[in-house]
Amino acid sequence: MSTYLLFIELPKTTSIQVGKLGQFTFPDGRYIYVGRAKKNLKARLERHRRKFKTLYWHIDYFLQYARLINIITCNGNDECSLARYLAGQLGITVPVLKFGSSDCSCKSHFFRWEGNEQFLNIPPGCSSD
């Protein structure tokens, strides 16, 4: 397993500088980030759980203001397919283009999730961490 989904809650509307991507205002609510660890998935997930770290990836900047509520890991290493799968679901929107996807052709690997938790379809081969 090397791909994962971070389920995140932002408690209040917040303006965040996301590295070189720019400054964005994110409304309060729930978000999902699709990521991949080329090596050592466990270490990558532990890094995401930490509040104090060097800010490197787009998600690092967002997590400084938000709360990580769940992690789901998935078989395989195709984060782009996983992002496209999520993007097509009801209640999923793209708050910032190219967030987490600056090295591929995807619109984003970061989504705002306005739907009901029980109606989000998690792809086969994924399970809670």
Side-chain angles (χ1 to χ4, degrees):
M1 285 191 240
S2 63
T3 53
Y4 56 88
L5 303 172
L6 302 181
F7 290 80
I8 306 161
E9 185 167 31
L10 186 64
K12 64 181 183 175
T13 298
T14 308
S15 182
I16 302 171
Q17 177 68 39
V18 181
K20 294 178 183 178
L21 196 58
Q23 180 96 15
F24 302 93
T25 299
F26 296 91
D28 65 305
R30 296 177 294 171
Y31 293 82
I32 302 172
Y33 174 76
V34 179
R36 177 175 60 127
K38 291 181 182 178
K39 304 179 208 171
N40 202 342
L41 177 63
K42 183 178 178 182
R44 174 66 58 87
L45 298 179
E46 286 303 320
R47 184 181 191 287
H48 287 315
R49 287 182 176 105
R50 289 196 316 263
K51 275 291 185 192
F52 303 103
K53 59 192 162 220
T54 301
L55 304 181
Y56 182 74
W57 290 288
H58 294 152
I59 194 62
D60 292 341
Y61 296 88
F62 188 81
L63 286 172
Q64 294 300 296
Y65 300 90
R67 183 174 70 93
L68 187 56
I69 55 176
N70 193 19
I71 298 174
I72 291 181
T73 55
C74 302
N75 294 323
N77 63 1
D78 189 355
E79 66 184 313
C80 294
S81 290
L82 190 53
R84 284 190 299 272
Y85 179 87
L86 283 176
Q89 293 195 40
L90 190 62
I92 297 285
T93 58
V94 175
V96 176
L97 292 174
K98 300 311 287 177
F99 189 116
S101 62
S102 55
D103 60 350
C104 68
S105 62
C106 295
K107 285 183 181 181
S108 186
H109 286 184
F110 184 68
F111 306 95
R112 187 154 191 273
W113 174 33
E114 298 179 34
N116 188 316
E117 199 169 320
Q118 65 189 7
F119 296 114
L120 184 67
N121 292 316
I122 301 300
C126 297
S127 60
S128 287
D129 181 54

